[in-house]
Amino acid sequence: MSENRKYNYPNKLSILRFFLDAEGVRKNSIPYHKRYFDKLGDSFSLKIGKSKHLILSRDNEVAQYILQKNQKNYYKSKFQSVYLSKYLGKGLLTVDGEFWLKQRRLIQPAFHKQKMNQLVENMNDTIVAELDSLVTDQSVDVFPVMSQVAFNVVAKSLFQLSVSDEKLNRIKYIIEEVQNFLVKEIRLPHKAWWFSLSGQVEKHLELAEENNKIIQEIVEDRITSKEEINDLLNMLLETRYEDTGEGMSVKQLIDEIKILFIAGHETTANALTFTLYLLAENPELQQKVFEEITEIQSETIDVVEQLQKMTYINAVLNEAMRLYPPAWITDRENVEDDNLAGYNIKKGTLIGVSFYELHRNPKYWENPEKFLPERFLGEQKKQSMQYFYPFGAGPRMCIGAGFAIYEMCLTISNLVKKYTITSVNSEIQFNPLITLKPVGVKILFSKR
């Protein structure tokens, strides 16, 4: 497309409106996004400075185009490639282009369904052990409980039993500290000078480096021991690049492990918390989950076979992730000029897709605000899956999606089998950070 050709963008949000709303958007952007979409349409734009444009969309055509149909022209934004990589290194989540493709091809086999099936027994044992100390008959803030469960499932799947709790707890602490600071950096860019001057940036970079050293020690201990342990670390150590036949360097392995920890535990904890809240609010659907797991467990004691039969539990999880997608927004920048949904856009346009709004767009969903798991059963499921992005889409779809589904199905089935779940909150609250984080969701667990 010629540089002289006129570019055109969706309906524009005025820069004045943007600045007037800026503080509210910083605290919780979702109500503002909905207001803008309702007023301006399923995609709207904002001009920043003389030439930079931003598009925010809840249009399925836009999502499919940038994530699947023409994904090669759409790279992750600087938020992921610069901000995240500063602390997380260069792993699958933060890199693009040829290097990303090389890493994806290398790591993908470790997440093949057959490999995941080998981890299921260990995963289930970890979940059962974690839930054993669950407080009953009093209000429980459920997110910290689910966060601990999800973190330990990832940790024990990565390292099985070869790492001390002290090291794992330190990794968890560092990850949470760095993530919280990262959110501050992104949301308060005008305070960058202060974060640097006050030593906060340096402090968190040091924490990230400490994390690297802990993981490096774990990896090198395993390599030295030459132990064959059935965990993700072993699977990653066995992977080989197609062109050289060599494995990953220890440095690269550390970066990928950090990504697996971060991508693998908070999003899962979020989804589990929202799912438990929705089941607590809908006791008749909770009863259906109970009946399904009771029936399945009477048919087989094999955990992999049980997972394959959890049709209704899967539908419940999908519908919970439709309403509250853990990765609630994604962004891309186009490498070259393009035509996006009828708009001629300049290269370097920042495009955000709100999965939260797309999943509630009445254009695609009937009664979009209602919790209806049957959307993901039988014939209805085919229709729903066209507009459903809990793990993204296209070549960059979350590599651990199968792992997460197994983990969530096992957690929900173990909880509902043992407990009746009652809601303490009448309304749900959340904070749209890097992920959609539930806030103060209180649940009552009573033994059946």
Side-chain angles (χ1 to χ4, degrees):
M1 194 186 293
S2 161
E3 279 295 323
N4 298 324
R5 187 164 173 186
K6 194 172 186 295
Y7 299 110
N8 65 312
Y9 284 84
N11 288 335
K12 286 185 173 53
L13 176 68
S14 81
I15 198 76
L16 176 62
R17 179 76 269 158
F18 176 75
F19 280 121
L20 288 172
D21 292 343
E23 186 57 25
V25 168
R26 187 184 68 76
K27 287 178 180 171
N28 182 354
S29 54
I30 282 177
Y32 292 91
H33 288 175
K34 178 165 173 48
R35 200 177 305 158
Y36 302 152
F37 283 128
D38 288 347
K39 184 182 177 184
L40 299 168
D42 285 347
S43 297
F44 64 86
S45 64
L46 179 68
K47 191 174 181 183
I48 305 162
K50 288 187 177 179
S51 58
K52 184 74 174 175
H53 282 85
L54 178 151
I55 295 173
L56 190 65
S57 184
R58 63 175 183 184
D59 187 331
N60 196 55
E61 185 186 346
V62 170
Q64 285 192 340
Y65 188 78
I66 68 170
L67 298 176
Q68 291 174 284
K69 292 179 181 172
N70 198 23
Q71 52 85 20
K72 287 183 178 176
N73 191 35
Y74 289 85
Y75 277 17
K76 294 207 163 189
S77 72
K78 283 182 182 174
F79 156 63
Q80 289 178 72
S81 60
V82 176
Y83 279 101
L84 283 177
S85 65
K86 185 165 68 171
Y87 301 106
L88 301 185
K90 299 196 176 298
L92 274 184
L93 189 69
T94 58
V95 296
D96 260 307
E98 286 301 314
F99 184 63
W100 166 80
L101 187 60
K102 188 179 175 184
Q103 286 304 108
R104 180 81 184 204
R105 283 176 176 162
L106 177 75
I107 295 168
Q108 187 80 52
F111 285 87
H112 189 274
K113 199 167 187 179
Q114 284 176 313
K115 295 277 190 185
M116 289 300 99
N117 289 348
Q118 293 172 31
L119 302 174
V120 161
E121 288 288 347
N122 182 33
M123 188 187 282
N124 195 47
D125 289 347
T126 305
I127 291 165
V128 170
E130 284 296 318
L131 296 177
D132 194 45
S133 57
L134 191 65
V135 175
T136 57
D137 299 318
Q138 67 183 65
S139 176
V140 173
D141 187 354
V142 81
F143 176 76
V145 177
M146 291 302 106
S147 180
Q148 191 65 38
V149 170
F151 182 84
N152 281 335
V153 168
V154 173
K156 298 288 166 65
S157 298
L158 264 166
F159 307 134
Q160 204 163 353
L161 305 171
S162 58
V163 180
S164 70
D165 286 344
E166 187 187 349
K167 279 184 181 174
L168 292 179
N169 289 334
R170 188 62 184 165
I171 291 170
K172 185 171 190 282
Y173 169 80
I174 291 171
I175 285 171
E176 287 173 354
E177 284 292 301
V178 167
Q179 267 191 301
N180 290 337
F181 180 65
L182 184 60
V183 169
K184 277 170 72 174
E185 277 194 300
I186 292 160
R187 286 193 163 186
L188 304 166
H190 56 287
K191 289 193 174 178
W193 65 274
W194 169 246
F195 293 147
S196 186
L197 193 66
S198 62
Q200 291 182 63
V201 172
E202 187 181 356
K203 174 193 163 187
H204 288 89
L205 286 171
E206 283 172 3
L207 279 174
E209 189 50 40
E210 183 191 342
N211 205 22
N212 290 347
K213 285 176 180 167
I214 295 170
I215 296 169
Q216 182 174 343
E217 200 179 300
I218 293 166
V219 171
E220 287 177 346
D221 282 352
R222 176 68 63 84
I223 292 167
T224 307
S225 74
K226 295 188 167 66
E227 279 184 278
E228 287 286 321
I229 296 174
N230 188 25
D231 59 13
L232 270 173
L233 176 56
N234 205 56
M235 292 176 191
L236 292 170
L237 284 167
E238 286 175 350
T239 58
R240 293 291 178 267
Y241 290 109
E242 291 172 357
D243 53 349
T244 64
E246 292 177 355
M248 264 188 279
S249 67
V250 170
K251 184 180 183 304
Q252 191 59 46
L253 198 52
I254 291 165
D255 285 352
E256 298 300 353
I257 286 169
K258 284 188 294 185
I259 298 291
L260 291 175
F261 265 123
I262 287 189
H265 101 269
E266 186 168 297
T267 49
T268 303
N270 294 351
L272 283 169
T273 303
F274 288 124
T275 304
L276 288 170
Y277 168 80
L278 290 162
L279 284 174
E281 286 285 296
N282 295 274
E284 71 289 355
L285 304 185
Q286 189 182 145
Q287 181 61 24
K288 284 187 180 182
V289 170
F290 176 73
E291 287 166 6
E292 180 176 80
I293 192 60
T294 305
E295 185 180 337
I296 288 168
Q297 290 186 345
S298 71
E299 292 169 359
T300 177
I301 58 166
D302 184 279
V303 184
V304 174
E305 286 179 16
Q306 288 176 0
L307 281 163
Q308 288 162 355
K309 291 171 180 277
M310 290 183 192
T311 313
Y312 190 71
I313 294 170
N314 253 292
V316 164
L317 282 164
N318 280 343
E319 178 66 349
M321 290 190 290
R322 178 188 71 82
L323 284 168
Y324 301 104
W328 69 280
I329 194 165
T330 194
D331 58 41
R332 296 288 189 273
E333 280 189 18
N334 54 320
V335 181
E336 299 295 339
D337 289 359
D338 204 357
N339 185 283
L340 175 68
Y343 298 100
N344 294 327
I345 65 169
K346 190 177 182 179
K347 71 176 181 179
T349 297
L350 179 63
I351 299 129
V353 173
S354 169
F355 296 136
Y356 181 91
E357 284 294 334
L358 197 158
H359 283 178
R360 292 167 181 254
N361 191 335
K363 186 171 159 185
Y364 312 120
W365 307 92
E366 203 174 318
N367 296 320
E369 304 294 324
K370 203 155 188 232
F371 180 60
L372 299 169
E374 53 269 29
R375 295 182 207 271
F376 294 94
L377 294 170
E379 286 301 307
Q380 278 193 66
K381 185 176 180 180
K382 290 179 192 170
Q383 173 75 9
S384 297
M385 294 305 282
Q386 297 176 68
Y387 313 111
F388 185 53
Y389 299 87
F391 300 103
R396 294 203 71 137
M397 185 173 169
C398 173
I399 200 168
F403 180 97
I405 292 291
Y406 274 7
E407 179 186 350
M408 290 190 288
C409 281
L410 288 172
T411 306
I412 294 297
S413 61
N414 274 298
L415 280 167
V416 174
K417 181 180 71 174
K418 283 181 72 175
Y419 305 101
T420 301
I421 303 163
T422 313
S423 177
V424 177
N425 310 73
S426 56
E427 282 184 20
I428 198 157
Q429 291 186 307
F430 51 78
N431 194 357
L433 302 171
I434 297 170
T435 63
L436 190 68
K437 198 165 181 176
V439 176
V441 176
K442 303 283 176 68
I443 298 279
L444 199 70
F445 297 95
S446 309
K447 285 195 175 174
R448 286 187 181 271

